[in-house]
Amino acid sequence: MVSATVIVVAAVTGAGVLTAQAALRRIHPAPTCVTCGTRSGHRVAGHTDRTCRDFVQEQRRRAQAAAAAAGTPPPLLPDAYGNSWPCGS
């Protein structure tokens, strides 16, 4: 049979672990994407602006429009993974 002391220790330890996890989540929140958050109207966690597909596509679209207005070839812009591709593709 399990003694009352073991049950109390387990309960206090569990409460301490849950409190520590909640504190760490508050101190180190998940990365958020401002671009997706602005478009959707709520906080979007899981990726940052640097890895957001919509943000990268918007940057490429702007660079392509500026190059077209200036009459120059579209620049090579890195995607979220560091690969450079022409904007016109």
Side-chain angles (χ1 to χ4, degrees):
M1 180 164 241
V2 179
S3 68
T5 306
V6 173
I7 294 173
V8 170
V9 168
V12 170
T13 303
V17 168
L18 292 176
T19 303
Q21 286 178 343
L24 283 176
R25 266 188 257 123
R26 184 170 277 252
I27 293 171
H28 302 289
T32 59
C33 178
V34 176
T35 304
C36 292
T38 301
R39 289 182 180 175
S40 67
H42 63 277
R43 187 172 180 216
V44 177
H47 66 278
T48 62
D49 281 328
R50 301 286 294 164
T51 58
C52 177
R53 295 178 85 195
D54 290 337
F55 179 74
V56 171
Q57 288 175 353
E58 182 63 29
Q59 293 298 327
R60 297 173 126 229
R61 214 174 357 257
R62 288 180 185 175
Q64 185 177 14
T72 60
L76 293 175
L77 296 177
D79 60 10
Y81 305 105
N83 302 315
S84 292
W85 305 100
C87 289
S89 61

